[in-house]
Amino acid sequence: LRRGSLPADLAGRRVVVSAGGTREAIDPVRYLGNRSSGRQGYALAATALARGARVTLVTAATGLTAPAGADVLPVESAVQMREAVLEARRDADAVVMAAAVADFRPAEQAPGKIKKTGAGPKPIELVENPDILAELARERTAAGQVVVGFAAETDDVLANGRAKLARKGCDLLVVNQVGDGRAFGTEDNQAVILGADGGSAEVPHGPKSALADRVWDLVRDRLPRV
Ligand code: CTP
Ligand code: CA
């Protein structure tokens, strides 16, 4: 597909994309965060818009400008992202979880700024966040709704990806190879997209918009005919 001549093959479709890294508050001024840039999620939103979809972008803080035409729902934490995504996807044809959702959050959020006491720092106790993707996959809210996850893996990329796809119960899992400065915070991605049907598609090193187009191709192929 040449860019600029994309088919409007998602016209009449509603999609939800999550993007960015969640921030988990420690106190009113501090949070636990991650290095996700949000660029892959924004590229997915922009590409879906270009292909004619109505797009809801649920975004954690990124500093990026949302693509024109997207319905933007800004959130901060994983718990807020879960609420926004569950609401937005109710009549959606597809949901893509490109966000880097924090696995853990501080068990308690201090009401005031934590101060030095001279007695050394207190440990921060963590609790696990809800798994949004697994919940989306378990409880579909529209016939034929397609659910897509992302995974960044380092070691046994394919085996980890297959296991994660099965565990999450989603239809597609985009597995990025990270480490050595790849993917996180960079402009380019290299990925393999695994299907619950056993299929896989390799996406060569290239811009995040190219990976986004491949993801939408595979989503489109799975959507029920209208
Ligand atoms: N995800 C989610 N909710 C979470 C954690 C992850 O929806 N609490 C989603 C991410 O948006 C991504 C997919 O799940 O689409 C995979 O994220 P990943 O961190 O690779 O999976 P985890 O189950 O958290 O496994 P790991 O222990 O490898 O981090
Ligand atoms: Ca995780």
Side-chain angles (χ1 to χ4, degrees):
L1 285 175
R2 273 177 298 121
R3 291 198 64 72
S5 63
L6 289 171
D9 57 356
L10 296 175
R13 306 291 192 175
R14 272 214 55 218
V15 304
V16 178
V17 177
S18 72
T22 64
R23 294 177 170 183
E24 310 298 325
I26 297 169
D27 70 14
V29 296
R30 305 184 180 96
Y31 60 84
L32 296 175
N34 63 67
R35 295 187 193 281
S36 169
S37 71
R39 284 198 210 106
Q40 185 62 62
Y42 279 57
L44 282 154
T47 312
L49 284 162
R51 292 169 68 155
R54 264 193 59 197
V55 177
T56 303
L57 177 61
V58 180
T59 179
T62 63
L64 300 173
T65 304
D71 298 323
V72 182
L73 299 177
V75 298
E76 183 161 329
S77 66
V79 167
Q80 290 170 359
M81 178 164 280
R82 173 179 171 275
E83 271 171 34
V85 169
L86 290 185
E87 176 65 27
R89 63 93 189 225
R90 273 201 287 176
D91 61 343
D93 297 290
V95 195
V96 180
M97 285 297 298
V101 182
D103 291 332
F104 309 105
R105 67 177 182 276
E108 284 168 13
Q109 189 182 335
K113 186 183 170 198
I114 297 169
K115 303 290 282 181
K116 286 178 287 190
T117 61
K122 272 208 323 202
I124 298 172
E125 192 193 328
L126 301 177
V127 294
E128 198 159 326
N129 272 324
D131 190 325
I132 306 169
L133 178 63
E135 188 171 352
L136 293 171
R138 206 167 45 235
E139 294 159 23
R140 316 276 172 137
T141 53
Q145 190 172 56
V146 178
V147 177
V148 183
F150 270 71
E153 300 289 347
T154 51
D155 301 312
D156 201 341
V157 175
L158 278 183
N160 288 342
R162 276 279 163 220
K164 189 165 285 181
L165 175 71
R167 198 165 68 239
K168 300 282 189 179
C170 52
D171 301 297
L172 294 166
L173 188 72
V174 184
V175 187
N176 273 305
Q177 201 174 329
V178 296
D180 308 331
R182 258 192 299 257
F184 258 53
T186 66
E187 204 60 63
D188 287 356
N189 264 18
Q190 185 176 353
V192 53
I193 307 176
L194 303 176
D197 55 7
S200 68
E202 293 229 21
V203 185
H205 188 77
K208 295 193 177 193
S209 57
L211 176 55
D213 268 324
R214 290 291 284 140
V215 171
W216 291 125
D217 289 348
L218 295 169
V219 168
R220 178 204 54 208
D221 293 346
R222 282 163 175 76
L223 289 172
R225 304 242 176 283
V226 279

